[in-house]
């Protein structure tokens, strides 16, 4: 099959030009279709199921890498930042106490494709929640600000213990 000569400006057009761009666009459109057909809340539920499955894989990989049965609180915080860095996010720790880990983010792993797709944030919630709960027994994840909702960055608080400080907007996770 002969290759096609594209116009010089073809690479400047919006749209997928490589596998990563294609996959991001595909996920954006899948999330958008779900949100339109069943609603944002239900779409978030579907994406949560996928996030939990991915969280299981990630948790197992990090436990194996650290050669431990359970990650410590410090290791969990490091893992949350590291896993997002590996998928081209820019998460960092804002604050860390015995009761919570507050993370910021300047770049979403989904890139600009996350805009107006809040259901995709359930990937972060479920992966963070699953990894934290499986290792520390409990997690509540509050997506305080997200790029998907139009903020300049994300602010995510992972609560490590049930308490009155956990907002009603947080999603709770417990060790299986």
């Amino acid at each position: 099959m002969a290759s096609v000569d594209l116009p010089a400006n073809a690479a400047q057009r919006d749209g997928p030009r490589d596998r990563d761009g294609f996959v991001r666009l595909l996920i954006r459109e899948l999330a958008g279709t779900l949100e339109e057909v069943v609603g944002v809340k239900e779409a978030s539920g579907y994406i949560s199921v996928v996030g939990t499955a991915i969280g299981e894989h990630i948790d197992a990989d990090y436990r194996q890498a650290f050669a431990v049965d359970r990650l410590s609180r410090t290791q969990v915080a490091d893992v949350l930042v590291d896993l997002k860095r590996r998928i081209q996010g820019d998460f960092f720790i804002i604050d860390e106490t015995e009761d919570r880990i507050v993370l910021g983010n300047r770049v979403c792993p989904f890139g600009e494709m996350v805009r107006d797709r809040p259901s995709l944030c359930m990937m972060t919630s479920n992966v963070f929640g699953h990894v934290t709960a499986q290792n520390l027994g409990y997690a509540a994840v509050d997506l305080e600000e997200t790029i998907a909702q139009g903020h300049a960055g994300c602010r995510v608080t992972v609560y490590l213990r049930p308490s009155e400080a956990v907002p009603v907007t947080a999603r709770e996770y417990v060790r299986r």
Side-chain angles (χ1 to χ4, degrees):
M1 177 147 86
S3 66
V4 177
D5 289 327
L6 295 175
N9 68 347
Q12 297 169 354
R13 297 182 48 156
D14 288 339
R17 290 177 289 280
D18 59 17
R19 184 182 344 188
D20 183 59
F22 175 80
V23 171
R24 287 178 196 216
L25 183 60
L26 173 71
I27 291 169
R28 174 183 170 72
E29 293 306 319
L30 283 170
T33 299
L34 272 172
E35 289 176 12
E36 288 172 17
V37 172
V38 300
V40 173
K41 184 177 179 181
E42 289 78 10
S44 296
Y46 285 114
I47 292 172
S48 293
V49 172
V50 175
T52 297
I54 290 173
E56 289 175 5
H57 291 287
I58 289 170
D59 183 44
D61 288 346
Y62 278 102
R63 285 184 197 197
Q64 183 177 12
F66 280 104
V68 296
D69 290 332
R70 299 252 187 263
L71 301 171
S72 69
R73 184 184 51 76
T74 302
Q75 289 171 323
V76 166
D78 291 342
V79 162
L80 299 182
V81 171
D82 183 67
L83 73 91
K84 290 295 189 169
R85 179 189 55 80
R86 290 176 184 269
I87 59 172
Q88 298 179 6
D90 188 19
F91 278 74
F92 54 94
I93 295 175
I94 294 172
D95 186 37
E96 185 177 357
T97 69
E98 291 296 317
D99 296 326
R100 68 184 187 166
I101 303 166
V102 182
L103 299 113
N105 177 40
R106 293 175 282 253
V107 179
C108 181
F110 291 112
E112 289 300 309
M113 298 295 179
V114 79
R115 296 258 182 222
D116 301 318
R117 296 296 188 264
S119 63
L120 288 175
C121 297
M122 288 301 100
M123 290 299 295
T124 295
S125 181
N126 278 270
V127 170
F128 280 13
H130 182 82
V131 169
T132 303
Q134 293 312 306
N135 290 285
L136 305 180
Y138 173 86
V141 180
D142 190 26
L143 304 170
E144 298 171 33
E145 296 179 3
T146 66
I147 294 169
Q149 295 171 329
H151 294 98
C154 300
R155 182 179 173 96
V156 179
T157 300
V158 181
Y159 293 88
L160 307 176
R161 297 183 179 130
S163 76
E164 290 183 15
V166 176
V168 296
T169 54
R171 294 178 57 95
E172 291 186 298
Y173 304 84
V174 293
R175 182 182 296 145
R176 287 188 191 170

